[in-house]
Amino acid sequence: MLGTLLFFLTIIFEIAFATYCIVTKQNHKKFKNWMRIGEGLIFFILIISSTITWSFRWILPLLLFILLFAMAIISLMRNRDVQYKTFRIVRNFIATTLLIVLAFAPVLLFPQYKIAKVTGDYDIATATYTYVDENRTEEFSDTEQKRFVNVQFWYPETNSGSYPLVVFSHGANGVKASNTSTFKELASHGYVVCSIDHTYHSFFTASNDGSITMANKDYLSEISNANKEDFYTREELHGLIQKWMTLRTDDINFVIDTIRSKSKKENAPVYKLINTDLIGVFGHSMGGAASVGIGRKRNDIKAVVNIDGPLFSELVYDQESDNFISNNKEYSTPLLNIYSDDVWEQLESNSTYAANNTIEKSGKEVYSVHFQGAKHLSFTDLSLVSPILATVLQGGKASIDKYECIEKENELIVKFFDHTLKNTGPFSFEKTY
């Protein structure tokens, strides 16, 4: 709110000043310069007093106000009279307004926000690692580079105890930090959370050596085209889906196996705390689909949470009907599905969500929850970090309160993992929130 207020006040001043100059047919240089100095001083005071919480979003506005402040000081010192011209006033107004818009873009896109509630008793520690899979060659590279993934852990900051491991897989263009509020909530309740960046599937990933790897262009093109009606045939789309699932489930398998190995022989605090007999997986969107796939493939997975994802791993392409159907095989791992309006409305269709509805009937312990008013990104921290970007990417604004949605989602996930991994008793939930 503060960033938006400062932006509009600055723009209003520029409009008012330009209008005043044009109406009076004067430059009003001294007035403008003193106002520029005043704006700069007010901004500096807001920073020094911590009214503005300093972060990357304020770097460009700071540079802008320093520039305007310096220009005003120099103009006052030179004290040169310039003949009034309407064209010059309009030109300066347009140039300054464009600078203001560009400078405040990060503030408007990523406004200051409060953190979702963390309700557990444990303080939280975090650690990042780069794992290299010597058994896989990177399919997105022309060289013989080995597949690598970056992971981040959130875990209880304690030297004692043993805690369940839960592994997270992000959405199609997401990042490993996409659901940090959920990770912190789980860690505060006694879980070790490991979130994976699926290299070349994640928007970007930062390795421990400082290198940055962006999403693969061909993969991004596939995702974009898959969302266009009839761009791919059903059979072609099924082939792409299985390719995506193979990469992601291989990544999750590799990460779990790596953690299992390291927990036996490494002394890093995070590995010593993990109980490898209690493992859950969860994910958002495509990551939810991969989590369900892993829950079927591995017998050491005790629980799965799918957050608004199509169950790609359960889909079969039926050549006769040229459509998707469910494999209808019994799903034995306890599963919690959390759905937005967008997905809930497709559960009865033969879209890529064709298997979501049938798994509830064929599974031994499957729960499905609908959040009314939620959209696809309501279940990620992007709805807090950048409400504008979330609205654009998901094709509309969610009507549910963003904090209420995430905090209730976190509460359900903790309760479900408590039920399945800590054996705390029955899982209580409501069908609709």
Side-chain angles (χ1 to χ4, degrees), residues 72-89:
I73 294 292
I74 292 169
S75 179
L76 286 172
M77 291 174 64
R78 293 174 66 180
N79 196 25
R80 180 185 299 175
D81 289 327
V82 179
Q83 184 181 359
Y84 168 82
K85 288 185 179 179
T86 301
F87 168 76
R88 185 183 292 114
I89 296 295

Side-chain angles (χ1 to χ4, degrees), residues 13-14 16-36 72 75-76 79-85 88-89 92:
F13 166 73
E14 294 300 325
F17 178 75
T19 302
Y20 179 51
C21 289
I22 292 170
V23 169
T24 59
K25 298 190 182 303
Q26 295 182 47
N27 289 317
H28 299 292
K29 270 185 58 182
K30 283 189 177 180
F31 175 73
K32 179 184 73 172
N33 290 331
W34 282 113
M35 286 302 298
R36 292 265 192 266
S75 179
L76 286 172
N79 196 25
R80 180 185 299 175
D81 289 327
V82 179
Q83 184 181 359
Y84 168 82
K85 288 185 179 179
R88 185 183 292 114
I89 296 295
N92 291 345

Side-chain angles (χ1 to χ4, degrees), residues 191-261:
Y191 290 89
V192 175
V193 183
C194 175
S195 184
I196 305 169
D197 260 342
H198 295 284
T199 315
Y200 296 106
H201 273 206
S202 59
F203 181 64
F204 76 95
T205 183
S207 298
N208 275 13
D209 64 4
S211 61
I212 304 293
T213 305
M214 302 301 295
N216 177 263
K217 291 180 180 178
D218 292 337
Y219 165 72
L220 293 177
S221 179
E222 289 172 355
I223 291 293
S224 176
N225 292 332
N227 289 319
K228 298 174 184 174
E229 194 157 349
D230 298 328
F231 187 92
Y232 294 116
T233 66
R234 290 293 203 190
E235 189 171 13
E236 289 171 335
L237 183 56
H238 185 259
L240 283 175
I241 286 169
Q242 299 315 309
K243 181 178 74 169
W244 300 334
M245 287 296 97
T246 298
L247 179 137
R248 283 174 173 253
T249 53
D250 284 352
D251 282 350
I252 299 171
N253 267 323
F254 166 61
V255 166
I256 292 175
D257 290 342
T258 300
I259 293 171
R260 276 187 165 280
S261 175

